[in-house]
Amino acid sequence: MKNLWSDTCAEDFHAAPLSGEISADLVIIGGGFTGCSAALQAAGQGAKVVLLEAETIGYGGSGRNVGLANAGLWLPPDQVMAQMGQQAGIRLNAVLAEGPDRVYRLIERHDIQCEPVRNGTLHCAHSAAGMVDLQDRYQQQAVRKAPVRLLDIKDVLQAIGSKWFHGALRDQRAGTVQPLGYVKGLARAAAEQGAVIHEHSAVTGASHDRDWTITTTQGTVRAPALLVATNAYSKKFKGLQATPTTPVHFFQLATNPLPDRILADILPNNEGCWDTGLVMTSFRKDQAGRFILGAMGLPDALGIHRSWATRALARLFPQLAGQAFSHFWSGRIGMTTDHIPKIQNLGPNAYGVFGYSGRGISPGTVFGAACATALLSQNETDLPVAPIRGHQERLCTAKGLYYETGARLIHALAMRT
């Protein structure tokens, strides 16, 4: 199984494991969007920051992402307000609406090589009911004066090049990136600002006595502030509560680069797309002309998802029928029951951030920077959401199995007629 993003990443970042005892103003656990954004923000403020990554930067969901830099959450804004309360919901909606602006400003400022394209994204109606949902989402965004447009069947045929969809909601605030390039670029920029980053440095324990002491197999970091940014890839270690999420898997497949004569009518403006299906499907192109198809599900030995992808590719875009997939990879999404990201108090001057529910790029960038500032200043005023004392996700394993079983059943039957 080959990850396309690993094979095509233009950002070359490597760091040595932690060795010995060091001190910092802020220690971060996790080298994804959130952790690297936090490290860059803290270093830019002149703080001494140390980031520990158990594998390599972007090894988890950040390096396995679809690459859609969306505005807002998966939930429509009215539902965010209904679940959080009006004031808190208005704040989170407003902060995340500006998320893509922050992403693309960082890309430009630090010359991050991540194939950035900001031509919007398309939320595609897979059915008549899906179109009704998009009409409601459009109304909610239009009231907020967001730059969105509802596409009918004729418009969506021209925009996507497929007859399969009933319409789409275009959001001009959003765009696409090569996600591993983006997160490695954040790490490189943070290191250039003075952040100390260590890969292959899995945390084995944490304790607090005036300062936090974070241990790995080869070293120790002491710091007054701690940020745990491992999300769906959290691992238990002694002395610190794990951040709970329901694991949902998402796989992707990519073709070899295709000639212009084949791709000419498919996503001519290079938007990133996902649909309204209960078992969501995503699709996009990369800079080299590969077509990338993704969906919920865990790659399995029976080949159910790969077989579905072959059928789906031919049905959605007949001109791509028979094209072989050169890459097939997957990652985990950290899902919460209410689909609202969390900042959890883990102890004195310590946060755990988790639960993006499939929206990691923009929210992770925003939450990481905000948490770094709050921890260093000990002022929570500008956090996107209020920190919580505790959070429980019940029956996480059972829920994950439920999602996977549903994905396998739908993919076993779909696109056969």
Side-chain angles (χ1 to χ4, degrees), residues 1 22 25 103 112 133 136 185 213 254 284 296 314 373 381 396 402 417:
M1 186 167 66
I22 58 176
D25 300 313
V103 169
I112 297 175
D133 176 50
D136 180 53
T213 300
R284 56 168 294 196
M296 290 172 60
T373 297
T381 303
C396 291
Y402 169 80
T417 58

Side-chain angles (χ1 to χ4, degrees), residues 9 11-16 28 30-44 49-53 55-59 62 106-107 110-114 178-199 365:
C9 184
E11 286 282 348
D12 185 22
F13 180 86
H14 301 283
I28 300 168
F33 300 128
T34 304
C36 291
S37 174
L40 177 57
Q41 180 76 9
V49 56
V50 174
L51 186 152
L52 304 175
E53 164 55 45
E55 302 289 345
T56 56
I57 294 297
Y59 173 85
S62 297
L106 289 173
I107 290 170
H110 299 286
D111 192 26
I112 297 175
Q113 303 302 300
C114 63
Q178 209 274 28
L180 184 58
Y182 176 60
V183 70
K184 282 183 176 287
L186 289 176
R188 186 256 303 161
E192 290 172 351
Q193 295 283 328
V196 177
I197 297 176
H198 292 288
E199 297 180 312
T365 301

Side-chain angles (χ1 to χ4, degrees), residues 17-20 52 54 199-205 214-220:
L18 173 66
S19 179
L52 304 175
E199 297 180 312
H200 304 292
S201 300
V203 172
T204 56
I214 307 300
T215 58
T216 70
T217 55
Q218 300 182 56
T220 301

Side-chain angles (χ1 to χ4, degrees), residues 278-356:
L278 181 62
V279 175
M280 188 189 79
T281 299
S282 68
F283 54 95
R284 56 168 294 196
K285 298 187 295 187
D286 77 349
Q287 185 173 267
R290 298 176 181 87
F291 190 85
I292 305 163
L293 180 68
M296 290 172 60
L298 179 66
D300 57 283
L302 297 177
I304 291 173
H305 298 313
R306 185 190 289 265
S307 178
W308 165 85
T310 299
R311 299 193 308 272
L313 189 68
R315 180 61 62 86
L316 296 174
F317 301 98
Q319 61 270 53
L320 300 184
Q323 293 291 336
F325 293 111
S326 61
H327 293 78
F328 186 24
W329 72 102
S330 73
R332 289 199 299 273
I333 294 169
M335 190 82 74
T336 59
T337 301
D338 61 4
H339 307 298
I340 301 289
K342 312 297 180 191
I343 299 175
Q344 182 174 348
N345 275 311
L346 298 178
N349 213 26
Y351 296 147
V353 183
F354 59 96
Y356 299 123

Side-chain angles (χ1 to χ4, degrees), residues 377-390:
S377 67
Q378 297 190 34
N379 183 345
E380 299 178 343
T381 303
D382 293 329
L383 286 174
V385 297
I388 56 176
R389 287 292 175 188

